[in-house]
Amino acid sequence: MKRIGVLTSGGDSPGMNAAIRSAVRYALNHDIEAMGIFRGYAGLLNEDMKLFGHRSVSNIINRGGTILKTARCPEFMTEEGQKRAVDVIKKNKIDGMILIGGDGTYRGAITLSRKWNIPSIGVPGTIDNDINGTDSTIGSDTAVNTALDAIDKIRDTATSMERIFVVEVMGRDSGFIAMQVGMGGGVEDILVPERKFNLLDMCHDIVEGNVRGKISWIIVVAEGAGKAADIAKKITETTSLETRVVVVGHVQRGGSPTARDRILGTVLGSAAVELLIKGQTGKAVGVISNELNVVELEDAIKPKPTKINQLYELMRMLT
Ligand code: ADP
Ligand code: F6P
């Protein structure tokens, strides 16, 4: 292994920079050159890349986002696009690739490793925490803490003005952030795409609570379970109670990574390089119960088992 390529792809997540820094410096310390590839698979197709030195990754461990920038690249899903990417990899003498991102990025990595025989290792970088083989993905801890901070602030006004708030958090296919902030924020209800819910039952609970004197409610909804505005409208129509809507949005994707995300990025960036050095390909790195864990990329993108029903029951019991 003489030269590796590193890219970030899909939605950015806080801690990706720590992973880039770790992969680049670990490679350089093993006399391997590190090519920084910009804008994910799009940069690969367009040969948008440069060789990184030790100082290319100085002062980034504490920064959110990704210095490599990131993108979505539909062209890489075509045979022609992939062929061009592989030509660029070969032309630039890149012997192995480190791909930091979510399940879409991993699908690209599967294509590169299995179909085109490019040694490729996936590093889980997404706020959604929907990758298998790791307890946590890089960025999910920061995102949860950002959204939780918003919930805490909403609670102040919700309680003071005795109002119902519907708060939308990120997660197009994943209820991870919603469940975490819902549990951590002690909210009244949580709606996630993985769990069926009945809005009329919820409205019934609100009215019943209202009769008992429980007037302020916080309902957290993952974006994949519905739009907060629609849910709030339905609550008002059904209960005649006033509602307010907050969409936490992309603030959840930014900000200085938590210690956990920086450390996870640091551990996994280096682990990915080490796997390439050992001649491995088609693998994804993760940490389970504080131990490094390696799985096949195909297993990493299978649906991640969650304890959503159990957590939901507990949350409801404690409200
Ligand atoms: P994430 O990695 O955060 O889940 P996306 O799902 O948007 O983000 O995927 C990022 C990129 O990965 C896509 O824009 C595309 O370039 C690549 N990708 C996704 N799915 C595939 C696939 N089936 N084959 C090849 N590349 C893919
Ligand atoms: O995959 C990460 C994520 O933040 C999801 O939670 C969210 O649904 C999606 O990306 C938003 O994507 P975009 O930034 O393109 O709106």
Side-chain angles (χ1 to χ4, degrees):
M1 189 69 41
K2 292 209 168 68
R3 179 179 288 178
I4 60 160
V6 184
L7 63 76
T8 50
S9 151
D12 52 280
S13 66
M16 277 183 163
N17 280 328
I20 296 166
R21 171 181 177 270
S22 171
V24 167
R25 289 195 173 164
Y26 194 87
L28 294 175
N29 286 334
H30 288 80
D31 295 320
I32 298 167
E33 290 180 329
M35 184 74 93
I37 301 164
F38 297 93
R39 299 176 180 83
Y41 293 111
L44 194 54
L45 291 179
N46 299 324
E47 218 173 338
D48 186 5
M49 52 183 69
K50 77 166 191 221
L51 278 174
F52 272 20
H54 195 84
R55 277 187 290 173
S56 310
V57 291
S58 295
N59 302 321
I60 64 167
I61 196 164
N62 54 329
R63 281 166 53 193
T66 157
I67 60 158
L68 287 175
K69 312 225 180 272
T70 182
R72 298 206 164 94
C73 176
E75 217 184 326
F76 188 69
M77 288 158 81
T78 67
E79 178 91 9
E80 202 193 323
Q82 290 163 14
K83 192 167 177 319
R84 217 164 88 212
V86 171
D87 287 346
V88 170
I89 290 173
K90 293 202 167 140
K91 182 179 156 207
N92 285 278
K93 301 194 173 4
I94 295 169
D95 303 313
M97 291 286 299
I98 291 180
L99 306 115
I100 307 168
D103 61 323
T105 303
Y106 275 24
R107 280 176 224 281
I110 290 170
T111 307
L112 274 181
S113 59
R114 312 283 187 223
K115 185 168 160 197
W116 300 93
N117 287 321
I118 305 289
S120 302
I121 304 293
V123 175
T126 167
I127 62 167
D128 291 342
N129 201 22
D130 54 354
I131 298 278
N132 268 306
T134 190
D135 289 334
S136 187
T137 56
I138 301 163
S140 56
D141 186 57
T142 308
V144 164
N145 281 295
T146 301
L148 189 58
D149 186 48
I151 302 273
D152 287 347
K153 286 174 173 151
I154 290 162
R155 177 174 296 289
D156 290 344
T157 177
T159 317
S160 303
M161 294 198 72
E162 303 192 294
R163 271 179 172 155
I164 301 168
F165 272 79
V166 183
V167 185
E168 185 178 312
V169 296
M170 272 189 159
R172 200 174 290 158
D173 306 305
S174 161
F176 170 76
I177 295 178
M179 283 307 296
Q180 294 282 302
V181 298
M183 296 292 293
V187 305
E188 278 66 33
D189 216 333
I190 309 173
L191 311 181
V192 292
E194 297 91 337
R195 191 180 177 282
K196 276 204 181 112
F197 54 88
N198 184 327
L199 281 185
L200 288 179
D201 286 350
M202 190 173 78
C203 291
H204 179 78
D205 287 349
I206 291 173
V207 172
E208 253 196 356
N210 205 271
V211 171
R212 291 196 320 266
K214 177 171 177 46
I215 303 189
S216 83
W217 276 62
I218 299 178
I219 298 146
V220 174
V221 51
E223 60 178 323
K227 290 214 168 306
D230 297 342
I231 290 160
K233 190 162 167 248
K234 181 89 185 161
I235 294 172
T236 300
E237 278 168 8
T238 314
T239 65
S240 303
L241 294 167
E242 224 186 311
T243 49
R244 288 290 184 273
V245 170
V246 176
V247 179
V248 184
H250 284 75
V251 285
Q252 292 160 97
R253 283 251 289 268
S256 183
T258 59
R260 273 188 61 183
D261 281 330
R262 297 181 199 195
I263 293 161
L264 188 62
T266 301
V267 167
L268 296 185
S270 58
V273 179
E274 186 59 32
L275 284 186
L276 284 178
I277 293 172
K278 290 194 169 126
Q280 302 258 6
T281 182
K283 304 280 196 287
V285 290
V287 168
I288 292 201
S289 303
N290 282 326
E291 295 290 338
L292 191 65
N293 190 52
V294 178
V295 293
E296 300 294 325
L297 281 167
E298 288 82 352
D299 291 331
I301 59 171
K302 286 182 183 155
K304 186 166 182 161
T306 58
K307 296 216 160 84
I308 276 184
N309 285 328
Q310 244 172 291
L311 288 175
Y312 183 84
E313 295 309 325
L314 178 61
M315 178 276 302
R316 289 292 291 162
M317 184 207 279
L318 300 179
T319 59

